[in-house]
């Protein structure tokens, strides 16, 4: 292999590794600097070939209450403003993307309205060690720890099963 | 990269490096003078390719290449399975650190083995393993941060990381991994284009749209394969583009040929297609046309080559046409579209048979017979099986299979015998 191609080869390897580290850094920054909220959820328990067992998480705040007058279309970004109600955070307002309540200290999470009428926040998956998903599936009460960034992007950081942090 | 430096997993029959260099120059001269076609030149070059291990028996050469590649794939799959188990004895940061280190190490060790320690096959296998570990690392990080399962950007990120490695190393195994990742990435992007509809796509109109998209992608890969056949450092990639491209388009077209599917699907609205869908496939179509045009520019001036080009262009545009016509048929609610699809399949099979005979390609003849058998039997079961009593149907089907099989076998042997006779008489 010529010197030029050798340099290109190792540059590609370096770009791959930098990409992986950047992926970690972006996600870790979002988790570290975000506001932790606890949301009420409900699980299902399937398996991914590449990433193993996981629980599908659904959220109470993903359903827009009927008394909330909205004009959201499928695919629209929806801003859900949250407030701490003790055990779990709850939705107090559902807003358009162009009415983001930035700067006033309110915590909000961003999602997209699906055709089934529920909002997808991109936090519908929680990976678990092999064979332990049944504990989440059988939970009577499931709460999810979520780190929410200033922009409303959310990352699942843990789950609380029947009042205790899930630790397989 | 100078000619002859890169590791190859093909057949090396040269006796020494000087001989190989000389024969490669001769082959290039024969090709430019029109004495041999590009495809024959490609075959000869791969036969007398780099000869760092010249003199080793052919079978052992190929066997060692296959075994180390299998080894790398098995290790890679093992790593993916271990990561998928999400073993909690090691923390996520430690796992990610280990994977990044493992990927880097396998790349570096592979490179040294391939280019410094005269072990090209093992070296390339390790670089392939590095590429697999890179993909596993992407999915591990996504797992650690609970990124949505099957996120539409994970597979494309893997593909984009691996494909340059294939071109820098010129390694077929890494190219094949890249092409598989490209096709899988397309599927993952479909989630974005069709949302929840994609999950329930089987038997539906969305399924047909997706399948037609794969037919177009197959056509484009084939066109890129023809370009590679005229692109000197990467000629040995051409056949893999061809096989994967035609295979993808063939499987897709077969899926579109079921009458029952066309009769039950709903009409598709143009607004159901996201702009990214149209943009992606407009670009794909342009790539196919440009690749063909560039390959055509590099064609030989012999008359036989022009005839071959007519076949290649017809085949590519027929595949593209199937995809576009399918989308139009879905939008226009044309439930009879399975009929032209089946006619096109039969035309394609006859074209393949004729091309195989004309250009002395026995594999094309064999493939055409297999496709014919599969298509006829599929239609037989789709339309005829329900009408007969089950026991009688098995007997009739068995006799039919025997008769058609016997007839096809005689025909196939006869055609291949004719081809060989023609080859020897040249």
């Amino acid at each position: 292999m010529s010197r030029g191609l050798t340099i290109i080869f190792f540059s590609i390897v370096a770009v791959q590794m930098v990409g992986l580290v950047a992926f970690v850094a972006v996600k870790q920054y979002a988790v570290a600097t975000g506001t932790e909220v606890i949301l009420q959820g409900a699980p299902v328990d399937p398996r991914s070939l590449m990433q193993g067992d996981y629980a599908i998480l659904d959220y109470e705040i993903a359903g827009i209450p009927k008394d909330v007058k909205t004009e959201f279309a499928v695919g629209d970004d929806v801003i859900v403003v949250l407030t701490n109600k003790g055990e779990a955070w709850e939705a107090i307002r559902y807003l358009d993307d162009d009415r983001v309540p930035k700067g006033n200290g309110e915590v909000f999470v961003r999602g997209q309205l699906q055709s089934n009428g529920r909002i997808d926040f991109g936090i519908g998956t929680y990976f678990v060690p092999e064979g332990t998903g049944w504990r989440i599936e059988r939970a009577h009460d499931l709460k999810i720890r979520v780190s929410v960034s200033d922009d409303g992007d959310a990352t699942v950081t843990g789950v609380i099963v029947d009042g205790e942090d899930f630790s397989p | 990269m100078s000619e002859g430096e890169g590791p190859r997993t093909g057949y090396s029959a040269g006796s020494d490096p000087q001989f190989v260099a000389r024969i490669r120059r001769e082959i290039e001269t024969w090709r430019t003078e029109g004495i041999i076609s590009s495809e024959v030149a490609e075959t000869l070059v791969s036969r007398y390719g780099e000869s760092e291990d010249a003199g080793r028996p052919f079978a052992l050469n190929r066997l060692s290449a296959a075994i180390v590649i299998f080894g790398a794939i098995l290790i890679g799959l093992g790593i993916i399975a271990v990561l998928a188990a999400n073993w909690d004895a090691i923390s996520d940061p430690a796992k990610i650190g280990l994977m990044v280190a493992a990927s880097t190490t396998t790349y570096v060790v592979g490179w040294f083995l391939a280019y410094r320690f005269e072990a090209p096959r093992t070296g390339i296998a390790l670089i392939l393993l590095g590429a697999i570990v890179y993909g596993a690392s992407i999915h591990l990080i996504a797992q650690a941060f609970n990124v949505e399962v099957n996120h539409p950007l994970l597979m494309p990120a893997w593909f984009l990381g691996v494909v340059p490695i294939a071109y820098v190393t010129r390694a077929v195994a890494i190219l094949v991994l890249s092409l598989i990742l490209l096709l899988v990435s397309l599927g993952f992007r479909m989630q974005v284009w069709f949302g929840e509809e994609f999950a329930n796509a089987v038997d539906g109109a969305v399924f047909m749209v997706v399948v037609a998209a794969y037919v177009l992608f197959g056509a484009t890969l084939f066109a890129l394969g023809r370009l590679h056949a005229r692109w000197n450092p990467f000629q040995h990639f051409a056949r893999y583009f061809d096989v994967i491209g035609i295979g993808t388009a063939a499987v897709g077209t077969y899926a579109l040929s079921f009458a029952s599917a066309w009769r039950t699907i709903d009409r598709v609205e143009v607004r159901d297609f996201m702009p990214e869908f149209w943009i992606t496939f407009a670009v794909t179509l342009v790539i196919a046309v440009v690749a063909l045009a560039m390959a055509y520019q590099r064609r030989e001036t012999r008359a036989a080559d022009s005839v071959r080009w007519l076949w290649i262009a017809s085949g590519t545009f027929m595949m593209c046409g199937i995809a576009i016509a399918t989308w139009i048929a879905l939008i226009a609610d044309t439930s009879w579209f399975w009929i032209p699809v089946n006619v096109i399949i039969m035309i394609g099979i006859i074209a393949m048979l004729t091309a195989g005979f004309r250009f002395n390609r026995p594999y094309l003849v064999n493939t055409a017979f297999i496709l014919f058998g599969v298509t006829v039997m599929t239609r037989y079961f789709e339309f005829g099986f329900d009408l007969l009593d089950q026991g009688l149907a098995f007997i009739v089907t068995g006799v039919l299979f025997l008769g058609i099989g016997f007839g096809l076998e005689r025909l196939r042997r006869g055609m291949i015998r004719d081809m060989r006779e023609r080859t020897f008489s040249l």
Side-chain angles (χ1 to χ4, degrees):
Chain A
M1 187 181 268
S2 68
R3 184 180 173 79
L5 277 172
T6 299
I7 291 169
I8 292 173
F9 175 81
F10 284 107
S11 301
I12 295 165
V13 173
V15 168
Q16 284 186 2
M17 297 311 133
V18 169
L20 292 176
V21 172
F23 189 5
V24 174
V26 168
K27 296 304 291 183
Q28 187 56 42
Y29 178 80
V31 170
T33 60
T35 305
E36 185 180 86
V37 301
I38 295 172
L39 302 171
Q40 193 66 47
V44 194
D45 183 25
R47 166 178 282 193
S48 154
L49 285 176
M50 287 294 293
Q51 293 164 292
D53 294 357
Y54 62 95
I56 295 175
L57 305 175
D58 196 7
Y59 297 85
E60 279 190 2
I61 62 167
I64 302 175
K66 287 177 181 170
D67 57 338
V68 175
K69 288 183 180 174
T70 58
E71 293 179 355
F72 300 117
V74 173
D76 279 357
D77 277 352
V78 180
I79 301 296
V80 182
V81 183
L82 303 172
T83 188
N84 192 350
K85 291 281 180 80
E87 282 196 350
W89 290 57
E90 293 177 9
I92 50 170
R93 290 199 308 280
Y94 291 81
L95 306 173
D96 291 330
D97 189 34
D98 54 0
R99 293 167 59 200
V100 177
K102 266 190 170 178
N104 61 4
E106 283 190 308
V107 176
F108 65 91
V109 58
R110 185 190 302 271
Q112 216 174 35
L113 189 64
Q114 306 296 299
S115 58
N116 62 3
R118 298 186 70 77
I119 304 167
D120 177 14
F121 299 106
I123 48 174
T125 302
Y126 183 70
F127 291 99
V128 295
E130 187 175 20
T132 62
W134 62 270
R135 291 174 55 188
I136 296 178
E137 195 178 5
R138 293 182 191 172
H140 296 294
D141 177 46
L142 182 74
K143 292 186 172 63
I144 299 116
R145 287 187 191 281
V146 176
S147 178
V148 183
S149 73
D150 290 346
D151 290 328
D153 295 325
T155 305
V156 175
T157 55
V159 296
I160 303 166
V161 178
D162 295 329
E164 291 186 9
D165 278 314
F166 179 70
S167 176
Chain B
M1 188 185 290
S2 61
E3 285 300 312
E5 270 192 317
R8 292 277 298 277
T9 52
Y11 174 38
S12 295
S15 57
D16 61 59
Q18 286 175 334
F19 167 78
V20 170
R22 195 167 66 247
I23 194 74
R24 285 171 68 90
R25 282 196 301 274
E26 286 293 321
I27 291 168
E28 181 57 23
T29 307
W30 299 338
R31 191 187 70 78
T32 50
E33 289 177 358
I35 297 170
I36 56 172
S37 69
S38 285
E39 298 211 16
V40 172
E42 186 185 329
T43 308
L44 287 171
V45 165
S46 63
R47 182 179 177 84
Y48 295 102
E50 294 75 8
S51 65
E52 57 269 34
D53 49 3
R56 293 177 66 189
F58 167 72
L60 190 61
N61 233 355
R62 294 294 289 263
L63 183 65
S64 66
I67 285 177
V68 290
I69 293 294
F70 287 161
I73 292 170
L74 284 175
I75 295 170
L77 290 177
I79 289 171
I80 289 171
V82 169
L83 291 179
N86 202 355
W87 192 34
D88 58 344
I90 306 174
S91 68
D92 285 340
K95 276 191 273 192
I96 293 168
L98 276 173
M99 289 297 285
V100 172
S103 185
T104 311
T105 306
T106 45
Y107 276 136
V108 172
V109 173
W111 184 86
F112 272 98
L113 284 176
Y115 302 104
R116 291 291 181 270
F117 294 110
E118 298 183 351
R121 289 171 178 78
T122 312
I124 287 298
L126 279 181
I127 293 173
L128 173 69
L129 178 60
I132 296 172
V133 174
Y134 165 67
S137 303
I138 292 173
H139 285 83
L140 170 67
I141 296 168
Q143 182 195 60
F145 287 98
N146 295 300
V147 173
E148 290 275 17
V149 72
N150 299 330
H151 192 283
L153 289 179
L154 299 182
M155 282 290 177
W158 190 358
F159 162 71
L160 290 173
V162 171
V163 70
I165 297 271
Y167 281 87
V168 171
T169 59
R170 291 201 236 162
V172 162
I174 301 172
L175 174 83
V176 171
L177 173 66
S178 304
L179 294 180
I180 292 169
L181 289 174
L182 173 65
L183 294 172
V184 174
S185 298
L186 178 69
F188 277 76
R189 292 306 300 167
M190 300 276 186
Q191 294 178 85
V192 179
W193 297 334
F194 299 110
E196 292 164 27
E197 302 255 338
F198 184 77
N200 308 314
V202 178
D203 293 334
V206 171
F207 174 74
M208 302 296 232
V209 172
V210 169
V211 168
Y214 271 104
V215 173
L216 181 57
F217 249 72
T220 306
L221 288 183
F222 175 68
L224 287 170
R226 293 301 82 211
L227 178 60
H228 281 77
R230 295 286 183 278
W231 189 5
N232 203 23
F234 304 109
Q235 279 182 339
H236 61 294
F237 279 1
R239 71 187 69 171
Y240 299 93
F241 273 92
D242 290 351
V243 169
I244 294 176
I246 293 176
T248 304
V251 171
T253 307
Y254 174 73
L256 293 172
S257 70
F258 285 83
S260 49
W262 281 94
R263 286 171 182 156
T264 55
I265 56 172
D266 297 323
R267 186 168 179 268
V268 172
E269 299 288 342
V270 176
R271 60 181 166 79
D272 292 342
F273 298 76
M274 283 186 68
E276 188 185 337
F277 174 88
W278 292 114
I279 293 167
T280 301
F281 290 105
V283 170
T284 304
L285 197 59
V286 169
I287 290 172
V289 173
V290 170
L292 268 190
M294 287 174 68
Y296 182 74
Q297 270 196 325
R298 293 167 175 233
R299 77 192 187 286
E300 292 148 17
T301 51
R302 294 179 308 124
D305 207 47
S306 298
V307 174
R308 184 184 293 121
W309 267 100
L310 195 63
W311 285 83
I312 289 169
S314 305
T316 309
F317 290 125
M318 189 169 79
M319 289 187 271
C320 295
I322 291 170
I324 294 166
T326 299
W327 290 326
I328 293 170
L330 287 166
I331 291 166
D333 193 16
T334 312
S335 58
W336 47 262
F337 193 70
W338 61 274
I339 298 170
V341 171
N342 279 278
V343 171
I344 289 168
I345 288 176
M346 283 301 156
I347 292 171
I349 288 170
I350 292 166
M352 195 179 276
L353 205 61
T354 315
F357 186 66
R358 185 181 179 103
F359 302 117
N360 279 358
R361 296 284 183 275
Y363 69 91
L364 280 179
V365 176
N366 289 330
T367 309
F369 277 104
I370 292 168
L371 292 178
F372 177 77
V374 169
T375 306
V376 168
M377 289 308 151
T378 304
R379 294 290 82 79
Y380 174 80
F381 279 107
E382 191 177 23
F383 297 121
F385 195 74
D386 289 343
L387 304 177
L388 299 169
D389 178 71
Q390 191 171 340
L392 184 63
F394 275 121
I395 294 168
V396 171
T397 310
V399 172
L400 202 65
F401 266 71
L402 278 175
I404 291 177
F406 180 70
L408 288 178
E409 176 65 13
R410 280 180 64 86
L411 190 59
R412 188 185 68 86
R413 282 182 183 280
M415 291 181 82
I416 289 176
R417 192 170 51 244
D418 285 352
M419 273 185 211
R420 286 186 180 141
E421 283 169 2
R422 286 200 330 164
T423 305
F424 288 130
S425 67
L426 281 176

